[in-house]
Amino acid sequence: MTNNILTPSFHIYYSKQLNQLPRSIKIDIWRRLTSRKYPLSLEQASGIHPEVEDMLNQAVEKYIKKKEHQRMKPITSDCENLLRKENEELCISKQVLEKKIEELLDLQEQYKSREVAMTRSLEESSGKVTQLSDSIAFFKSIIPDTKKAIASAEKSIDLLENRCRNLEDMGALQ
């Protein structure tokens, strides 16, 4: 008789709930129904009874919640591992970016110093170009006067040469 008490024989009506539960829980529910202070008879426990239905529904809910919680744990630890890995990768990326920023700031400093040097050089060159332009303009402006002076000097030379010849000719006549 004790063997019948321990072997669950639930009504087929409860198949849906029973299929969701492991054998150990089914045995435990059967034991509680049939051996508590006010137990159900084997006929009542094997038939359709509100207490059986309530106990099975509660067991299914509890079992599903437990399974979900167990599933969540690995997911949570997987998420934590992924987040930890991502965090490490982000830290490495941050260090790389900080190094690149330092390099860019150094390059910017070099650029600025070169820019200053080039600006000075351009200003000096601009001053020299201005001086050369002024010199060219001055020389262009004195060209006509120089041409006149050369022409005048040539006339004077011609006159002097003529006088010299005249003087020579006179000296030869005397």
Side-chain angles (χ1 to χ4, degrees), residues 8-9 40 47 66 79 84 116 144 162 167 170:
S9 60
L40 294 179
K66 185 177 177 182
C79 287
R84 196 173 297 113
V116 167
N162 282 337
L167 286 175
M170 283 191 177

Side-chain angles (χ1 to χ4, degrees), residues 143-159:
I143 287 175
D145 292 340
T146 305
K147 283 183 180 177
K148 287 179 187 174
I150 289 172
S152 173
E154 285 176 344
K155 283 182 186 177
S156 294
I157 290 171
D158 286 343
L159 284 174

Side-chain angles (χ1 to χ4, degrees), residues 2 98 148:
T2 53
E98 286 173 347
K148 287 179 187 174

Side-chain angles (χ1 to χ4, degrees), residues 80-138:
E80 287 174 358
N81 290 336
L82 286 173
L83 285 173
R84 196 173 297 113
K85 186 176 180 181
E86 272 190 47
N87 191 33
E88 289 171 4
E89 290 173 0
L90 285 173
C91 286
I92 291 169
S93 295
K94 180 184 173 194
Q95 290 172 348
V96 168
L97 284 174
E98 286 173 347
K99 188 174 181 180
K100 293 280 185 195
I101 288 171
E102 285 180 33
E103 290 172 2
L104 286 172
L105 289 173
D106 288 344
L107 288 172
Q108 188 178 22
E109 280 294 315
Q110 291 175 12
Y111 173 80
K112 283 182 181 178
S113 66
R114 288 181 183 165
E115 183 182 31
V116 167
M118 288 178 79
T119 302
R120 283 186 196 142
S121 177
L122 282 172
E123 288 170 354
E124 290 172 7
S125 296
S126 176
K128 289 178 183 177
V129 167
T130 302
Q131 286 177 347
L132 286 172
S133 295
D134 291 347
S135 296
I136 290 170
F138 171 73

